[in-house]
Amino acid sequence: WALHIWFLWSLAIYAVLAPFLATITDSRPFNRLLEVYLDKTAGFTHWTNVLIFAVGVMVGRGLYDQIFRHIADDTPFHWIVRATLANLPIFFLGMVAFRNRRFLETLSVLSIPGLLIFGFLYWAVATYGGELPRNLERVLFWIVRGGLSLFVITSILWFFKKFANKPGKWLTFFVNSAYSFYIFHFTFIYLVAWGISRFTGNLYLTYLAILLIATPLTLLWHAFVIDKVPLLRFMFTGKWSQRAAGTAKPQPAG
């Protein structure tokens, strides 16, 4: 029932938790511990970040299986509760990075070995994990999945830090279109998938068509519909003026 907007429910939960988590990230003991951690792991912090994050994902999933499953499984909210717990570690890491510039630098790293190693491990667990005891397979799956996820996220952060770190018209447009893209992209995915299914049932061709067609269509929807209607622009960017929403010349920070 939540469709693809389930994550908005998770974000609402995170927003409620944010003051409590901010109290932790701003506390002296936490920041002392963080500085010690960064000093002791200097040079390979992105690897220890992955380990901590992967364990956090596994703990979140374990909490659902052992505790929250008994409360939520028979309700419409079971997926939202499970996904919120599983993604809570990345929200917390994001809060820490927002508060601590030095920690943010450790999350802006491209690690080809990390991507390859965890990509291989993910494939291995998905392919052969069924031969392992169920509990062991689940532990390995969530650790490896969490590790691979963080290596992908840090690669994205590295890319934007290196190639899209200055104000510009296109960067402003993409930032402003993020929310409407999130809400509407599945609509265009379904439309393109439905259209291409009339010509081929090949999964890979369908996926390629979605990448090449659905993404531009969603951005065009934002540019020519959302951004042109003041009420929609306000709903999806928080800005009434079209100039404020991205056509004005960017001003340097500070």
Side-chain angles (χ1 to χ4, degrees):
W1 62 273
L3 300 177
H4 193 58
I5 62 171
W6 64 267
F7 196 62
L8 297 181
W9 293 87
S10 295
L11 284 175
I13 296 171
Y14 297 150
V16 172
L17 292 174
F20 170 72
L21 297 178
T23 301
I24 295 175
T25 59
D26 290 344
S27 67
R28 276 189 188 176
F30 180 85
N31 279 281
R32 284 201 200 100
L33 183 63
L34 181 61
E35 290 301 321
V36 170
Y37 166 71
L38 293 173
D39 288 339
K40 296 295 185 182
T41 62
F44 58 91
T45 309
H46 60 292
W47 285 93
T48 51
N49 286 344
V50 165
L51 178 61
I52 293 170
F53 176 73
V55 171
V57 170
M58 183 191 68
V59 169
R61 184 54 192 251
L63 284 173
Y64 181 85
D65 288 342
Q66 300 302 319
I67 299 174
F68 290 92
R69 177 172 60 84
H70 304 291
I71 302 171
D73 257 6
D74 295 328
T75 74
F77 299 97
H78 64 94
W79 168 253
I80 293 171
V81 175
R82 184 164 68 244
T84 300
L85 286 168
N87 289 297
L88 184 59
I90 196 61
F91 180 76
F92 183 71
L93 254 63
M95 288 196 68
V96 177
F98 182 76
R99 301 281 183 168
N100 189 296
R101 187 80 182 183
R102 188 180 172 195
F103 182 70
L104 175 61
E105 295 297 320
T106 71
L107 292 180
S108 307
V109 177
L110 173 65
S111 176
I112 300 298
L115 289 169
L116 292 176
I117 291 171
F118 272 80
F120 171 77
L121 290 175
Y122 184 80
W123 169 83
V125 172
T127 304
Y128 301 106
E131 301 176 13
L132 299 172
R134 176 66 176 174
N135 288 341
L136 177 59
E137 184 271 336
R138 287 290 86 188
V139 168
L140 289 175
F141 175 80
W142 286 107
I143 288 179
V144 170
R145 185 177 186 270
L148 179 61
S149 297
L150 193 60
F151 271 122
V152 171
I153 291 168
T154 60
S155 300
I156 294 171
L157 290 174
W158 169 84
F159 176 86
F160 278 93
K161 178 185 176 184
K162 188 173 182 64
F163 299 106
N165 201 25
K166 295 180 180 179
K169 182 177 179 180
W170 284 105
L171 182 59
T172 301
F173 169 78
F174 287 125
V175 169
N176 286 327
S177 67
Y179 184 48
S180 63
F181 188 95
Y182 176 76
I183 295 297
F184 291 109
H185 77 285
F186 247 57
T187 301
F188 290 101
I189 286 174
Y190 285 130
L191 288 173
V192 172
W194 175 81
I196 200 70
S197 68
R198 297 293 182 267
F199 303 97
T200 179
N202 185 281
L203 180 63
Y204 298 103
L205 288 177
T206 302
Y207 183 68
L208 181 62
I210 288 171
L211 286 177
L212 296 178
I213 301 173
T215 298
L217 281 178
T218 312
L219 292 172
L220 288 172
W221 172 261
H222 175 83
F224 292 104
V225 178
I226 303 297
D227 199 38
K228 299 299 183 183
V229 180
L231 179 59
L232 293 177
R233 186 188 313 121
F234 178 73
M235 288 174 61
F236 289 98
T237 70
K239 304 167 185 175
W240 283 107
S241 166
Q242 194 171 34
R243 286 180 64 83
T247 57
K249 183 178 179 180
Q251 298 295 322

